Amino acid sequence: MDHSGFLLFLGSISLFLLLLPEASRASLQSTGRIDPGFQGSSMSFIDHDGLFLLSNNSNFALGFTNTQDVTLFLLVVVHLGSSQVIWSANRRSPVSNSDKFIFSEDGKVSLQRNGGVVWTADTGGRAVSAIELQDSGNLVLLGNNSSVVWQSFSHPTDTLIVNQDFVEGMKLVSDPSPTNLTYSLEIKSGDMILSAGFKIPQPYWSIQKDNRKTINKDGGKVTLASLDANSWKFFDANKVLLWQFIFSDTNSNATWVAVLGNDGFISFYNLDNGQSLAPSPTKIPSDPCGRPEPCDAYSICSDNNRCVCPSALSARPNCKTGIVSACDASNGSTDLVNVGHQLGYFALGFVPPSSKTDLEGCKASCRNNCSCIALFFQSSSGKCFLFPEVGSFQSSGAGSSFDTYIKVLSNGGSSTDSAGDGNSKGFPVVVIIVVATLLVIIGLCYLAVRYYKRKKTLQESLHDSSEDDNFLESLSGMPVRFSYKDLQTATNNFSVKLGQGGFGSVYQGVLPDGTRLAVKKLEGIGQGKKEFRAEVSIIGSIHHHHLVRLKGFCAEGTHRLLAYEFMANGSLDKWIFKKDNEFMLDWETRFSIAVGTAKGLAYLHEDCDVKIIHCDIKPENVLIDDNFIAKVSDFGLAKLMTREQSHVFTTLRGTRGYLAPEWITNYAISEKSDVYSYGMLLLEIIGGRKNYDPAETSEKSHFPSLAFKMMEEGKVREILDSKLKYDEADERVSTAIKVALWCIQDDMYLRPAMTKVVQMLEGLCPVPHPPTSSPLGSRLFPSFFKSISEGGTSSGPSDCNSDAFLSAVRLSGPR
Ligand SMILES: *[C@@H]1O[C@H](CO)[C@@H](O)[C@H](O)[C@H]1NC(C)=O
Ligand SMILES: *[C@@H]1O[C@H](CO)[C@@H](O)[C@H](O)[C@H]1NC(C)=O
Ligand SMILES: *[C@@H]1O[C@H](CO)[C@@H](O)[C@H](O)[C@H]1NC(C)=O
Ligand SMILES: *[C@@H]1O[C@H](CO)[C@@H](O)[C@H](O)[C@H]1NC(C)=O
Ligand SMILES: *[C@@H]1O[C@H](CO)[C@@H](O)[C@H](O)[C@H]1NC(C)=O
Ligand SMILES: *[C@@H]1O[C@H](CO)[C@@H](O)[C@H](O)[C@H]1NC(C)=O
Ligand SMILES: *[C@@H]1O[C@H](CO)[C@@H](O)[C@H](O)[C@H]1NC(C)=O
């Protein structure tokens, strides 16, 4: 790892921070409403995760949240308990972290990028006098006489929440699918209709045709729909309840939302379930194959959502017709081929037929119409349907079945028999392909067998024990490479979530041999496979008693996963911030966790082949094993960030309390920044509380200041967790406090190196009284700071870096 390059990169980020003047000023979050003259960006509200307006009940917030790409932000209304976004202003045009949401003095509300307007609330020219975020999650702009001039509930994105009225004229639009198809929901002609966003939209569901609804009153026309408890209710113009669609068994006043996903389903989520949201089993539509694209276009979806390429296309590349877009191919010669006599298509129940004719007539009208690329013909009724674009087909399960023909480019393959069964001419090609494939497979098997034989001989010659595999792995210095499937199986399709970190979610997993794993799914890491493997091999080669061990990784397609050893006792925050007194870490354990963490960090800073700055030391990243040994996790990941994606921002968000001041000023980030974060962590371990706890009285809410004050007055007991027994004879308590206060000096040169921290904690080196944490401190102790930070080769109070000391505290090296 190029350390200086990394520093430069971090330095440039902190410079970037400096260039934003509001970054260093704390901006205050509002509750309930904002008045004119407000502006804010993601950066200026970094202390509040980018959120600047809370609803009175604190259930919802308005603010910025990042997209998959962590440098791009959306202005959203988010449900705080579940982190679910329920409305977004600019979801197709994200902004950067310095772009501002502006509520001007003259009553205009807009989101700006480089002076241009990305989004503005269309108030019909009326000035806005206040912005309110209501307890329902509705963002409301009020005019000068307190009338509503605009509200987010009338401009839904892809989500509807309880008590949000969905009326004619509104439209729910999904995010684009992987093939860039969107889905939309509208109330039209007295029905609520779900369609696929082709150039000519193709409906695939309507409430009228869904037989799962309960009917209150027949024959009405729907003009309004709204979620209420466990059902979706449909009303006519006189507010008479016509139908109910019940989507959950439990009838409670939960915060339900309906989300139109980019898979074409409308799913229902109960936001009160918190961070681990799972959709209710009831979905719209009910049949997975009844969606437009459960499979690729032209493929056939059968009962269990299995996708099959129709035989007429199987000889063609990627199961495609060769026609790029309808009518463009009109110059090349095309053929109609049959893909099945008993297929279904999602739109057929919702669109009128193009004509009524016989099969030949239907085929002729498609051949003579360049925009037609697929036809469906029902012989019983003579209905002929022509389509200019198609999704996937359904194998005829329920309902009527159709003769299906598609247009293909004649020279795109040889299976072009227009008479129907396209298989006869395709036969020779298929045979050639099958034979070639078989030959390749046989060749590969032969090579594999040879490889295994050689590997076995090699292993046997090296060792006879069962540890051979591991030995070979450690020989190559590489953690095991898993396939995505392996990890999917091991984690039971990522079902048990252990936590959510700056780099992605962590899931519990078990390997077939019973080894437990914590699998981290990295998000938004924009690196090629090669670079990723290079970093992984560095992380994987670092073995230390106090560092979480990387067992394996996966780099497949866009998937980037890391598999770590499993830590049965979870992360430190769960132990030190426990509210109940049921099981509490005693002083002995806390101290050993503090020392262990320091040793792990010292190893990263000083004993690895490449110096590693962690950049994200906090209780969530210190894990505890069965024996209450502390292990540092997530090291080396900061390097996985690309400059453009600068994942640091994710790391920054919500971690500010542990960040050294140089992150905000233009000083370069160094290992001393980790020392600061460690000091903050150590204080929390000692105090058994968060460093910033607004619940405490104002004097006590900022724990570091309190600790400095109490230390000055010699009141150690006031700093130590009041739930712990204080043994005055135990020097380690005041030692630990003093070390923590040294670590959190604003001046990075005053902070000791991690090796020194270990020595001081272990009593191998005296700990001078820390200066108070004002700029005055560094001026009062100029000579001391030099000696303690430079490793004290002179006669400073910390002259303990001699060889004798070093060997006494020899940090456990690679195992
Ligand atoms: C929030 O609470 C204040 C004080 O109770 C009240 O005046 C205001 O109307 C409330 N705002 C909203 C949006 O409910
Ligand atoms: C309220 O707005 C209207 C037009 O938008 C304007 O004519 C009127 O003077 C305003 N009233 C106050 C009190 O500002
Ligand atoms: C507020 O003003 C708008 C027009 O500016 C008007 O339609 C509405 O009735 C007024 N509301 C109240 C409560 O006066
Ligand atoms: C996706 O579709 C939208 C409009 O439907 C279009 O503007 C956009 O360019 C498309 N994107 C890609 C990657 O095809
Ligand atoms: C839901 O809340 C309403 C009032 O807020 C109440 O009347 C109703 O009984 C509640 N229903 C349930 C099932 O709790
Ligand atoms: C197709 O033919 C028309 C005239 O018949 C010609 O103008 C057009 O350029 C041709 N297109 C292609 C793609 O060859
Ligand atoms: C041509 O085909 C399209 C569908 O691809 C259909 O909508 C249109 O009605 C057809 N035109 C004629 C004249 O049949």
Side-chain angles (χ1 to χ4, degrees), residues 369 371-372 386-388:
N369 181 341
S371 83
C372 169
L386 309 182
F387 286 95

Side-chain angles (χ1 to χ4, degrees), residues 126-127 144-145:
R126 280 167 292 175
N144 64 6
N145 62 0

Side-chain angles (χ1 to χ4, degrees), residues 500-501 548 567 569-578 585 593-594 597 601 614-624 629-634 654-659 674 676-686 688-692:
Q500 169 87 41
V548 175
M567 291 288 147
N569 279 320
S571 57
L572 182 56
D573 55 314
K574 303 204 178 72
W575 291 96
I576 54 177
F577 304 138
K578 260 192 174 174
L585 293 181
I593 285 172
T597 308
L601 269 178
H614 190 292
C615 294
D616 198 17
I617 289 294
K618 55 182 174 181
E620 289 80 359
N621 281 337
V622 174
L623 304 186
I624 313 288
I629 307 275
K631 300 192 184 216
V632 176
S633 79
D634 270 12
T655 318
R656 181 84 173 269
Y658 303 93
L659 286 181
D674 277 352
Y676 183 95
S677 309
Y678 173 79
M680 287 305 220
L681 170 78
L682 179 54
L683 263 190
E684 294 187 330
I685 295 177
I686 298 165
R689 54 160 285 182
K690 295 238 181 218
N691 280 331
Y692 182 71

Side-chain angles (χ1 to χ4, degrees), residues 59-342:
N59 285 349
F60 297 92
L62 172 68
F64 291 95
T65 177
N66 61 286
T67 58
Q68 279 294 87
D69 181 336
V70 294
T71 60
L72 295 177
F73 293 82
L74 301 180
L75 177 67
V76 299
V77 172
V78 61
H79 178 260
L80 290 173
S82 60
S83 303
Q84 184 81 2
V85 168
I86 62 161
W87 176 81
S88 166
N90 59 323
R91 70 182 168 136
R92 297 284 191 271
S93 41
V95 296
S96 81
N97 59 5
S98 56
D99 289 326
K100 287 185 182 129
F101 172 75
I102 298 178
F103 180 17
S104 65
E105 294 285 0
D106 62 355
K108 292 201 174 68
V109 175
S110 65
L111 178 62
Q112 314 217 328
R113 176 170 50 205
N114 304 327
V117 172
V118 173
W119 170 83
T120 181
D122 178 13
T123 60
R126 280 167 292 175
V128 178
S129 66
I131 300 179
E132 272 190 2
L133 183 57
Q134 298 183 336
D135 287 349
S136 57
N138 192 7
L139 178 68
V140 174
L141 309 190
L142 299 174
N144 64 6
N145 62 0
S146 297
S147 61
V148 173
V149 297
W150 183 95
Q151 54 182 333
S152 64
F153 270 19
S154 300
H155 299 84
T157 50
D158 61 357
T159 301
L160 292 171
I161 190 164
V162 289
N163 299 325
Q164 177 175 7
D165 287 347
F166 187 61
V167 300
E168 211 159 347
M170 294 184 190
K171 194 171 180 179
L172 221 56
V173 180
S174 75
D175 285 333
S177 75
T179 58
N180 200 22
L181 190 61
T182 56
Y183 306 97
S184 60
L185 182 74
E186 281 174 290
I187 293 181
K188 265 199 290 203
S189 335
D191 198 358
M192 188 164 83
I193 296 165
L194 189 54
S195 344
F198 292 114
K199 279 199 200 79
I200 299 168
Q202 297 178 11
Y204 60 100
W205 175 86
S206 82
I207 183 67
Q208 191 135 39
K209 296 216 161 113
D210 195 312
N211 54 20
R212 293 175 292 173
K213 66 178 181 290
T214 51
I215 298 174
N216 280 42
K217 180 173 173 294
D218 245 333
K221 285 193 174 304
V222 172
T223 59
L224 185 154
S226 113
L227 296 177
D228 178 25
N230 63 337
S231 77
W232 208 344
K233 294 189 171 142
F234 298 84
F235 301 90
D236 72 6
N238 301 320
K239 284 267 182 179
V240 174
L241 178 65
L242 303 176
W243 304 318
Q244 281 195 72
F245 181 90
I246 295 173
F247 49 77
S248 162
D249 299 335
T250 46
N251 180 11
S252 71
N253 279 341
T255 317
W256 283 97
V257 290
V259 179
L260 176 51
N262 72 348
D263 53 4
F265 276 126
I266 296 176
S267 308
F268 302 90
Y269 298 85
N270 179 356
L271 299 188
D272 296 339
N273 286 344
Q275 299 286 345
S276 51
L277 278 188
S280 146
T282 305
K283 292 188 176 197
I284 290 174
S286 59
D287 177 9
C289 290
R291 294 172 293 153
E293 285 197 331
C295 304
D296 290 339
Y298 303 112
S299 287
I300 300 167
C301 177
S302 56
D303 308 326
N304 45 2
N305 214 1
R306 208 162 48 94
C307 299
V308 184
C309 178
S311 55
L313 289 180
S314 55
R316 290 168 173 265
N318 299 326
C319 191
K320 289 281 175 287
T321 60
I323 297 176
V324 181
S325 71
C327 291
D328 270 9
S330 54
N331 295 8
S333 71
T334 58
D335 290 300
L336 272 182
V337 298
N338 183 274
V339 288
H341 295 287
Q342 298 207 316

Side-chain angles (χ1 to χ4, degrees), residues 671-729:
E671 69 269 28
K672 288 296 179 66
S673 315
D674 277 352
V675 175
Y676 183 95
S677 309
Y678 173 79
M680 287 305 220
L681 170 78
L682 179 54
L683 263 190
E684 294 187 330
I685 295 177
I686 298 165
R689 54 160 285 182
K690 295 238 181 218
N691 280 331
Y692 182 71
D693 185 356
E696 292 276 350
T697 57
S698 64
E699 189 194 66
K700 288 186 168 176
S701 67
H702 191 241
F703 188 46
S705 311
L706 181 76
F708 272 112
K709 186 154 173 279
M710 291 301 133
M711 199 63 200
E712 282 296 296
E713 298 171 9
K715 295 179 182 159
V716 171
R717 174 70 252 192
E718 293 293 304
I719 304 171
L720 184 69
D721 192 340
S722 57
K723 300 186 287 293
L724 289 179
K725 258 202 359 246
Y726 176 45
D727 174 5
E728 284 191 37

